[in-house]
Amino acid sequence: MSGPGAASRDAGLQPERTRLAWRRTTLACSVAAVLAVRQALHGSGSPLRVAGTAVIALIWLAFLGVAHVRMRQLATARPPALAPRVALGAVLCTVALALFAMTVIF
């Protein structure tokens, strides 16, 4: 949006909705990580599964860090735009979590 009123734009509840969306995504990521760990613990316990579970836990922690940074930014009066580095981090964590979860399951 550009023009004379762009600088004084009232974001309304949009930052709050975005922050809640980040929380929902974090919850979904947590559930996926817990289910993958559960599958690995109730499985054969092979070294590959254990290593995959450890990687999943690290990816989950990285995603929690990325989400925490963004949620703190959204709590300000004028939140900055999503940085490309944060967006890339979230995408990489999501894709990596899905890939490693498949390795633990199979």
Side-chain angles (χ1 to χ4, degrees):
M1 178 176 187
S2 62
S8 63
R9 177 183 166 274
D10 180 21
L13 294 176
Q14 188 272 330
E16 178 68 18
R17 287 191 307 267
T18 305
R19 192 167 57 82
L20 289 172
W22 274 97
R23 284 186 185 220
R24 284 191 307 270
T25 305
T26 302
L27 179 62
C29 187
S30 298
V31 169
V34 167
L35 289 176
V37 169
R38 180 178 172 262
Q39 178 71 21
L41 292 177
H42 291 293
S44 64
S46 69
L48 182 61
R49 280 193 174 189
V50 172
T53 303
V55 171
I56 286 172
L58 290 174
I59 293 168
W60 174 68
L61 288 174
F63 184 79
L64 286 181
V66 168
H68 180 71
V69 166
R70 185 59 185 160
M71 284 189 282
R72 285 184 56 94
Q73 289 174 345
L74 290 170
T76 62
R78 245 177 94 96
L82 181 64
R85 184 175 52 99
V86 176
L88 181 63
V91 168
L92 289 177
C93 286
T94 303
V95 170
L97 181 65
L99 291 175
F100 280 102
M102 286 190 311
T103 62
V104 168
I105 290 172
F106 298 116

